[in-house]
Amino acid sequence: MKKARLAVTSLNETELISIYKYRMAKKKAVGRFIYDDIMLAAPNGRCPLCGQRSVSTLDHVLPKTLYPALSVTPRNLIPACADCNHAKSNVSPTSADDEPIHPYYDDFDNDLWLHADVVQSSPPAVAFRVAPPISWPDSVQHRVAKHFSMLKLAPLYTSQAAQELSNIKHSLAQLFDRGGETAVQQHLSEQADSRRAAHVNSWQTATYTALAGDNWFCEEGFAA
């Protein structure tokens, strides 16, 4: 056992990264079952970094090129979509404020931090922003904001919200015909509550909360 430990610790950076690439990530590799198990850990097969796209790869929380000793450490590996994996690239924290968010060990979903605003345009749109509680430590506020910016979540969520607005336009028109602004607002509030119960900081929760609270949208702005 002692000799085995010495052999592992004597590996250089290239060899450590090669172990991940050829003995773990490669299909039919001897350690591929570990890779697959980590991939399956993503709830509903969705990337835990953006919460939207399908998982297609593993991401190193701390990049393997800078931390080769953590190349095959399960706690440093999380399932991710290709876009988030690419966006993170080899970004490495230089301070506690820059530490990447780990979707399983960092829990920032007890408080609301993702917000949205209705853009009164034709067609209407939704813009997203980060506004953590002021009670949060500055370092945590910075980490969440950096996560949102680095992964380009604002345009991703705006795009998804645009599709959602298109999908619900007809049903909102029917509600308005039956009960006016009040019916539309009540429906949107119920949708927001349902999504909030599932995930406080999802783009869906932020979207429906913003729509329900916007008088212009509920007064037929949805039809613009």
Side-chain angles (χ1 to χ4, degrees):
M1 289 293 293
K2 188 173 182 180
K3 288 183 178 179
R5 277 198 299 271
L6 289 174
V8 171
T9 56
S10 67
L11 294 174
N12 61 38
E13 294 181 6
T14 301
E15 290 170 329
L16 286 165
I17 294 174
S18 292
I19 289 175
Y20 170 77
K21 185 175 181 180
Y22 298 110
R23 305 283 286 177
M24 185 175 177
K26 187 177 180 180
K27 290 185 178 180
K28 298 184 179 180
V30 66
R32 177 70 188 203
F33 73 96
I34 301 174
Y35 186 100
D36 291 339
D37 283 348
I38 297 174
M39 287 271 284
L40 292 171
N44 303 317
R46 294 292 176 181
C47 172
L49 295 174
C50 65
Q52 185 57 42
R53 293 177 288 243
S54 298
V55 165
S56 60
T57 187
L58 292 187
D59 175 70
H60 289 79
V61 179
L62 295 175
K64 61 182 181 296
T65 53
L66 300 176
Y67 300 89
L70 301 178
S71 295
V72 294
T73 302
R75 289 190 177 186
N76 192 48
L77 296 168
I78 56 173
C81 66
D83 286 350
C84 284
N85 182 264
H86 178 74
K88 281 183 79 271
S89 186
N90 291 329
V91 174
S92 178
T94 57
S95 67
D97 290 0
D98 288 332
E99 289 183 15
I101 292 177
H102 196 297
Y104 302 138
Y105 297 117
D106 288 316
D107 185 5
F108 299 144
D109 279 344
N110 290 325
D111 297 310
L112 178 66
W113 57 263
L114 180 63
H115 300 263
D117 300 293
V118 175
V119 179
Q120 296 182 5
S121 57
S122 182
V126 179
F128 294 84
R129 56 188 170 84
V130 172
I134 58 175
S135 60
W136 280 17
D138 290 344
S139 61
V140 176
Q141 293 189 44
H142 181 83
R143 289 176 66 197
V144 170
K146 182 174 181 179
H147 175 92
F148 188 77
S149 174
M150 178 176 62
L151 299 182
K152 300 178 175 60
L153 298 185
L156 170 63
Y157 293 168
T158 292
S159 174
Q160 296 299 322
Q163 183 65 54
E164 186 74 358
L165 288 174
S166 178
N167 289 339
I168 65 175
K169 182 177 180 178
H170 179 69
S171 64
L172 293 183
Q174 291 181 316
L175 280 170
F176 189 85
D177 288 343
R178 292 196 298 266
E181 175 190 355
T182 300
V184 171
Q185 193 164 43
Q186 181 178 347
H187 170 76
L188 293 172
S189 293
E190 290 172 352
Q191 295 301 309
D193 289 342
S194 179
R195 285 155 177 78
R196 190 176 300 110
H199 188 183
V200 173
N201 291 298
S202 69
W203 69 262
Q204 294 96 329
T205 300
T207 294
Y208 278 99
T209 300
L211 298 180
D214 191 276
N215 291 333
W216 172 84
F217 184 84
C218 296
E219 292 170 354
E220 291 191 285
F222 59 84

